[in-house]
């Protein structure tokens, strides 16, 4: 095992590069296909030159303006092509991928970080890396906020950059998708609540950074209300609407990771923890702070959270709305791998 870990460390960058290529090759047919119906909205709204006209158009598509602005810039550079309008999603996926790696690698070894990436790569929703919609961009900002929060909670001073990152990334997630507020807010709030229980100390700079980023809601909430009046009134009035949230939609977790892979992880982790309890001196521990694990659990729980939210509000659920669960599961898989490796 020690030799394997040494080999992983020596070849870590190459292995990481191959893991980044894997989803890009796995879903290459998504890159080659023509724009679908939803992507056509993105294409045409992004082509609008006036920001004011763009803001008036976005409620008809149901998303905040950030992705359209990014795609507009991409169209200006690369022309009015399918690739140009999909480029922000591709970049967003890569940033999310790097953030997962950095988050896990900071606390655990190469094996845990690479395993987290492997789990993330095998999520069927990784195909949205090639979809001209804001889901991977929202996920990228969410994970950057989580990464900056990890850095900010490590120390008492010299936190200006990570706190700034929390504010900017929080605003970016909210400006990317209306469910961005849930994706970035719930993990951070749960993690901070756990920190407060453990330390009995209020971390006002972190709270302030989050609130500054959350002020983006002042722009997005009116757009959300416009979407409700333009689209969701009709979906809520349709009794047999296909997107109506139902309890069986919890099966959306099948889109978040390979279920057999997670079963294998659960078995290995259970055996390892059972073995550690039988020792006179348990030596299996994780380098992750407990509040980081709680935040990852909050992110992994996006499926039931978004399902319940849509049941009470829009009455329109799709598994892609909870894409953060794929990242949360990947991080928790990295945590599990760190347990297993440290116990050998």
């Amino acid at each position: 095992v020690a030799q394997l870990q040494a080999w992983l460390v020596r070849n870590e960058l190459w292995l990481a590069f191959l893991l980044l290529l894997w989803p890009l090759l796995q879903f290459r047919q998504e890159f080659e296909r023509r724009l679908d119906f939803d992507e056509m909205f993105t294409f045409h709204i992004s082509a609008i030159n006036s920001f004011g006209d763009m803001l008036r158009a976005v409620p008809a598509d149901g998303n905040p303006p950030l992705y359209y602005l990014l795609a507009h810039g991409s169209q200006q550079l690369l022309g009015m092509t399918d690739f140009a309008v999909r480029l922000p999603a591709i970049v967003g996926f890569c940033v999310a991928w790097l953030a997962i790696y950095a988050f896990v690698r900071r606390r655990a070894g190469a094996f845990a970080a690479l395993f987290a990436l492997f789990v993330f790569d095998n999520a069927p929703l990784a195909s949205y890396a090639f979809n001209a919609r804001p889901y991977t961009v929202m996920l990228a900002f969410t994970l950057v906020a989580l990464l900056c929060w990890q850095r900010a909670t490590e120390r008492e001073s010299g936190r200006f950059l990570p706190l700034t990152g929390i504010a900017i990334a929080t605003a970016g997630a909210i400006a990317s998708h209306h469910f961005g507020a849930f994706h970035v807010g719930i993990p951070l709030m749960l993690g901070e609540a756990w920190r407060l229980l453990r330390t009995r100390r209020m971390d006002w700079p972190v709270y302030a950074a989050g609130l500054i980023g959350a002020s983006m809601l002042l722009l997005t909430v009116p757009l959300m209300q416009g979407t409700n009046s333009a689209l969701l009134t009709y979906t809520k009035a349709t009794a047999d609407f296909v997107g109506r949230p139902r309890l069986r939609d919890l099966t959306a977790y099948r889109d978040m990771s390979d279920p057999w892979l997670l079963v294998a992880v659960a078995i290995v982790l259970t055996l390892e923890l059972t073995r550690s309890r039988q020792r006179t001196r348990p030596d299996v521990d994780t380098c992750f702070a407990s509040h980081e694990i709680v935040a990852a659990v909050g992110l992994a729980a996006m499926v039931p959270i978004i399902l319940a939210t849509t049941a009470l509000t829009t009455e329109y659920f799709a598994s892609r709305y909870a894409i953060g669960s794929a990242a949360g599961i990947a991080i928790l898989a990295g945590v599990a791998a760190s347990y297993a490796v440290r116990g050998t």
Side-chain angles (χ1 to χ4, degrees):
V1 174
Q3 292 178 342
L4 174 60
Q5 293 187 48
W7 181 84
L8 288 172
V9 171
R10 287 196 306 270
N11 298 279
E12 184 175 2
L13 293 180
W14 284 109
L15 292 170
F17 179 71
L18 291 175
L19 285 172
L20 179 59
L21 283 182
W22 168 241
L24 302 181
L25 295 174
Q26 183 182 13
F27 298 110
R28 63 186 182 278
Q29 69 276 8
E30 292 292 317
F31 177 75
E32 296 167 355
R33 65 172 173 78
R34 295 180 180 274
L35 296 178
D36 62 25
F37 181 76
D38 287 345
E39 290 177 299
M40 289 299 294
F41 276 91
T42 306
F43 183 91
H44 290 291
I45 294 176
S46 300
I48 299 173
N49 288 318
S50 168
F51 181 66
D53 291 340
M54 185 181 290
L55 284 181
R56 284 188 285 273
V58 294
D61 190 29
N63 294 309
L66 183 57
Y67 191 94
Y68 308 109
L69 291 171
L70 295 174
H72 179 80
S74 181
Q75 288 173 329
Q76 296 300 305
L77 290 173
L78 303 175
M80 305 293 288
T81 64
D82 294 358
F83 175 75
V85 79
R86 285 173 173 158
L87 182 58
I90 298 172
V91 174
F93 176 83
C94 293
V95 171
W97 185 95
L98 288 169
I100 291 173
Y101 173 78
F103 188 91
V104 177
R105 187 66 176 88
R106 191 168 183 86
R107 295 288 181 252
F111 176 77
L114 292 171
F115 186 71
L117 295 181
F118 179 73
V119 172
F120 184 61
D121 285 350
N122 281 278
L125 280 183
S127 64
Y128 273 87
F130 300 102
N131 194 283
R133 303 298 284 170
Y135 306 110
T136 58
V137 173
M138 173 188 69
L139 187 60
F141 278 115
T142 297
L143 289 167
V144 169
L146 201 62
L147 184 62
C148 291
W149 174 73
Q150 181 189 55
R151 303 294 194 272
T153 57
E154 288 177 339
R155 48 183 181 249
E156 298 291 333
S157 60
R159 302 199 295 171
F160 177 76
L161 287 179
L163 290 173
T164 302
I166 292 173
I168 294 174
T170 298
I174 294 171
S176 300
H177 195 277
H178 290 310
F179 286 125
F182 290 86
H183 277 74
V184 72
I186 288 176
L188 293 185
M189 287 191 293
L190 287 176
E192 278 302 309
W194 187 260
R195 281 185 72 213
L196 181 61
L197 286 173
R198 300 269 297 181
T199 65
R200 304 295 180 181
R201 293 173 57 190
M202 306 285 281
D203 195 337
W204 294 109
V206 170
Y207 306 158
L211 289 174
I212 290 171
S215 65
M216 180 59 67
L217 289 168
L218 297 175
L219 171 64
T220 62
V221 168
L223 297 175
M224 189 189 312
Q225 293 171 337
T227 298
N228 286 338
S229 61
L231 293 176
L232 297 179
T233 299
Y234 302 103
T235 62
K236 294 171 74 171
T238 305
D240 57 349
F241 177 53
V242 68
R244 195 174 300 282
R246 296 173 175 85
L247 189 61
R248 65 171 179 263
D249 288 323
L250 287 172
T251 57
Y253 271 113
R254 291 181 299 192
D255 294 331
M256 305 301 163
S257 188
D258 185 313
W260 292 110
L261 179 61
L262 295 182
V263 169
V265 171
I267 292 173
V268 171
L269 182 60
T270 300
L271 291 174
E272 182 55 46
L273 293 178
T274 301
R275 186 176 65 172
S276 71
R277 292 194 197 96
Q278 294 172 351
R279 297 169 181 152
T280 56
R281 180 181 176 274
D283 59 352
V284 178
D285 195 7
T286 177
C287 293
F288 288 87
S290 58
H291 59 266
E292 294 171 353
I293 298 176
V294 170
V297 170
L299 191 58
M302 278 300 113
V303 169
I305 290 171
I306 300 299
L307 183 62
T309 301
T310 54
L312 295 173
T313 56
T314 65
E315 297 188 27
Y316 182 14
F317 174 81
S319 60
R320 60 186 180 271
Y321 296 162
I323 193 172
S325 285
I329 289 170
I331 292 173
L332 291 175
V335 174
S338 72
Y339 269 102
V341 171
R342 288 172 66 82
T344 56

